[in-house]
Amino acid sequence: VSAILRNENAFSVRHYREHIEEITHGKPMLIGLPANDPVRVQRLQLLQAALKLLTENGTSNPYAELERLAGDIARSILARLLPAGRMDIVRDLALVVPVAIAKHFFGLPGPDRMSPTAIAAYFARLELTDVPPDWLARLDPLLQHEKPVATVQAWAQAAFREVFLNIVRARELTISAQRTTDEMLLHIDELMEQEYRRPSGERHLLAALVAVKREQAGASGDIDEHIRAILAELLVGGIYTVGKAFANIVDLVLDPRRIEPRIAGILVADGSRRTDLMTVLREVCS
């Protein structure tokens, strides 16, 4: 992938840019810009300045904090699901952890409601009023803490699908992505405005980007546009790429052919203990 992305003489990212700008009202993202594009250079400089600020102002490494945070989130999810005795790897874990990371590390919590456009998109409709009432009645009820997660997932899914998967340019998918992306960008704008007017003091990316904006007051270029685009791109790209990798990693780890030799090597040679544990693991795998 890296070799292809760096070989701009043979491969182009123009097709990404066309899809992106159709749902962002003409605003580009990093993935659709060639390496020498001035907008890309400015945006990466801003991102690097924010990450440097995070590293310098903290007493510990933010990337180590991210690792601990991911572990805490995963453990809390597993604890909540344990009484049920089962888990949907994708819906309950792989797509939830990245959304929670976006909240704490990027500074991008979802709204405290389920977006009407996101509900409509779930049923392949453009408007909530297009969804028959009996369809809505079959929706599983969402707890309050699940609504922000479900909305962010819907936003990310629509944009990701449009940019990477809508190869035939199906118009109805594009319109759906336009509407959900409008909601997402408006939500990011509101978070940026809150952070600018009343600094949170949090050590996340949004706070760092806004702090750089304050330092660069009067600088040329639309820094708000750059911040918005950086956060939107990380939110969309981070959820489904990480989520797909996460699900595959869990599948790989739970393969009995990989588990058994590892368990045999790290446990004390106690036959009964090992047998009991392997029984549990086999049940989990099946």
Side-chain angles (χ1 to χ4, degrees):
V1 171
S2 297
I4 289 172
L5 290 176
R6 293 192 184 104
N7 187 356
E8 293 180 1
N9 293 323
F11 301 97
S12 171
V13 293
R14 190 180 301 112
H15 55 295
Y16 292 139
R17 181 168 185 167
E18 292 170 358
H19 283 256
I20 289 166
E21 293 186 356
E22 193 156 12
I23 63 175
T24 60
H25 305 286
K27 307 299 184 185
M29 299 285 181
L30 286 173
I31 196 169
L33 296 171
N36 61 351
D37 190 287
V39 173
R40 178 183 174 86
V41 173
Q42 291 175 3
R43 202 163 286 174
L44 285 175
Q45 287 173 343
L46 173 61
L47 181 58
Q48 289 165 359
L51 292 173
K52 182 179 179 183
L53 201 62
L54 274 178
T55 306
E56 289 177 347
N57 291 352
T59 56
S60 58
N61 186 332
Y63 303 106
E65 292 178 12
L66 174 60
E67 187 174 341
R68 285 194 296 274
L69 176 63
D72 290 343
I73 292 168
R75 277 188 290 273
S76 68
I77 291 171
L78 294 174
R80 191 168 66 247
L81 295 171
L82 186 61
R86 57 177 294 143
M87 174 175 61
D88 183 318
I89 297 296
V90 176
R91 294 171 65 91
D92 294 332
L93 186 70
L95 293 182
V96 177
V97 173
V99 174
I101 290 293
K103 174 182 177 180
H104 296 287
F105 192 69
F106 297 152
L108 297 175
D112 57 3
R113 57 180 173 77
M114 184 64 186
S115 151
T117 306
I119 295 173
Y122 179 82
F123 291 104
R125 294 292 187 268
L126 296 178
E127 300 281 357
L128 187 59
T129 52
D130 296 336
V131 182
D134 58 321
W135 291 15
L136 291 173
R138 292 200 298 268
L139 269 178
D140 292 332
L142 289 176
L143 300 176
Q144 191 59 38
H145 74 274
E146 294 175 316
K147 294 177 182 178
V149 174
T151 296
V152 171
Q153 286 176 352
W155 287 345
Q157 183 180 41
F160 191 93
R161 180 185 60 213
E162 175 61 24
V163 174
F164 297 105
L165 303 178
N166 190 10
I167 300 170
V168 297
R169 307 303 289 267
R171 190 63 193 161
E172 64 274 16
L173 295 182
T174 302
I175 295 172
S176 175
Q178 286 171 337
R179 297 189 179 194
T180 52
T181 302
D182 282 346
E183 282 187 347
M184 178 181 68
L185 294 176
L186 178 61
H187 181 65
I188 291 174
D189 277 340
E190 291 171 351
L191 295 173
M192 289 167 55
E193 182 71 14
Q194 291 171 15
E195 182 65 35
Y196 188 76
R197 291 185 178 277
R198 184 177 296 177
S200 64
E202 296 287 341
R203 293 191 63 228
H204 53 53
L205 186 59
L206 172 59
L209 286 166
V210 172
V212 174
K213 173 185 173 179
R214 289 195 191 92
E215 292 178 357
Q216 297 182 3
S220 60
D222 188 348
I223 195 166
D224 282 339
E225 183 179 311
H226 289 323
I227 293 174
R228 185 185 307 111
I230 287 170
L231 293 172
E233 187 163 8
L234 288 171
L235 189 63
V236 172
I239 289 175
Y240 275 85
T241 50
V242 173
K244 290 170 86 171
F246 202 155
N248 284 321
I249 288 169
V250 172
D251 186 50
L252 188 69
V253 168
L254 292 182
D255 184 336
R257 292 169 298 178
R258 295 179 178 273
I259 290 178
E260 293 188 27
R262 215 176 301 167
I263 295 296
I266 62 174
L267 285 185
V268 178
D270 181 331
S272 59
R273 278 185 57 199
R274 188 176 299 155
T275 301
D276 292 343
L277 180 59
M278 289 314 305
T279 301
V280 172
L281 287 175
R282 285 196 184 94
E283 290 172 0
V284 170
C285 291
S286 61

